[in-house]
Amino acid sequence: MAPPARRGFLMPTLIIVGALWGDEAKGKLVDVLAEGADYTVRFSGGNNAGHTVRLGEKVFRFHLLPTGFLRPGCTAVIGGGMVVCPKSLLHEIEEVSALAGSTGNLLVSGSAHVVMPWHERLDCLEESLRAEGIGTTRKGIGPAYEDKAGRRGIRMFDFIHPERFRTRLREILPVKNSLLKAMGGEDDLNEDAILEEYLPLAERVRPYVTDAEHHLAEAVGAGRRILFEGAQGAMLDLDYGTYPYVTSSHPTAGGACMGTGLPPTRVDAVLGVCVAYATRVGSGPFPTELDDETGERIRQAGREFGTTTGRPRRCGWLDLVALRYSAQVNGFTSLAVTRADVLSGFQEVRLCTAYDLDGERTQRFPTDTDALARAKPVYETLPGWSGDISAIRTYDALPEALRRFLARIEEFVGVPIAVVSTGADRSEVILHHPELLW
Ligand code: IMO
Ligand code: MG
């Protein structure tokens, strides 16, 4: 049998994954790489994500929509692995469309689960009942995935059929109300009120809902260029992250297959995105966290405050032990390093290249979260760089100290750096090895 036709690209499917704890500027990266993409696809999470794209004066904030929605000619897909709040989705479609003028197409998988009002309430109550909160975004993401795994969720296919939606609601709501009450919730959710609000939302969502898996399979078969836009980060993966301080889905590369129906044999490239330092929002171990002036300096310089919740992000040095583990789990074929501009002006910069764990030195990332919490970072110190690097467009023109820093990352992780981002704008990027991407 002849191999399937490909449109002249060597690598038409590219998965972009946040390498550590999220907020790696994936939105900007996807936007840059979406030029010429036929599809951009979100595969995990929901509106807990916050992906920002800056086009000159205009700032676009995406939570549910793939950022490729900005590119006319590109089809944006919300994969079946996602959990979708219909209010948030419709609001975002309106907001982005108004600001952008024209947009691409949108397909929403009928297999995606709907985030309902009880999910948000349960998320908030659970957080308040935990001894140490996870620091969730309180968008109902965890409870929605729980219902999916418990086979009591409402899928988009159910949601857009009023009778099916009504029946599911009638089955589910009394149970949820009992649960909310048992957890200290104050008032009942009312079936009529939910129907009144959600039936019109379902009408508006219906035109987008389809069997997106088949569209994607056809696109893969035809050799179309497809970009899979990871949300969150690999260290927040339900299985491979710092459990229980994780999100309830799979932001790792494997999640792109599970969340869209992309066969693992059709993954061409996996790009891991990391910041030149490290950040984390919410609780959980973060060995290289800087709870000092340097951490504050990074937070201010990088404007490290959450896009979704506004919370200040925890900041620290780049953790190469964690990054190498992430590369191992995701199979990164290349790396993108973002916000290199933020560290500009530091006399010295650091990279964590080992941990001290219970008196022993190790370079093996502890997958037991308790052990990770005991790990003390061992650093290599490198000379810093200075000046405004945002206008630099070639790798060789970067300050030598920055190139040495990047070379050390490549060497330690064993993955080549394909992209360096030098600022927030679409134009502020160096495509050092584009051949590793598409
Ligand atoms: P983007 O796509 C950073 C974190 C939350 C919390 C944990 C669980 O912008 O990189 P959840 O609401 O998902 O149940 O919260 O996961 N978290 C993120 N952190 N960036 C994100 O997305 C995140 N999405 C969830 O802060 O610690
Ligand atoms: Mg974010």
Side-chain angles (χ1 to χ4, degrees), residues 23 48-50 307-308 313:
D23 302 326
N48 47 349
T307 308
T308 301
R313 295 178 185 143

Side-chain angles (χ1 to χ4, degrees), residues 21-26 42 48-51 62 123 134-143 230-233 236 244-248 280-283 307-309 311 313:
W21 286 280
D23 302 326
E24 297 93 349
K26 296 178 290 293
R42 274 279 306 270
N48 47 349
H51 298 175
F62 294 89
D123 199 355
I134 289 171
T136 74
T137 58
R138 297 179 182 242
K139 302 284 182 193
I141 305 299
Q232 288 81 53
L236 291 170
Y245 305 101
V246 291
T247 192
S248 298
R280 173 161 204 173
V281 233
S283 318
T307 308
T308 301
T309 57
R311 289 177 290 178
R313 295 178 185 143

Side-chain angles (χ1 to χ4, degrees), residues 20-22 127 130-136 232-249 251 280-286 311 314 365 367-373:
L20 295 176
W21 286 280
E127 272 291 273
R130 282 184 185 111
E132 191 192 354
I134 289 171
T136 74
Q232 288 81 53
M235 293 295 109
L236 291 170
D237 185 278
L238 185 56
D239 290 320
Y240 302 103
T242 52
Y243 191 89
Y245 305 101
V246 291
T247 192
S248 298
S249 68
R280 173 161 204 173
V281 233
S283 318
F286 179 14
R311 289 177 290 178
R314 301 157 66 191
F365 184 79
T367 53
D368 174 0
T369 305
D370 270 39
L372 182 66

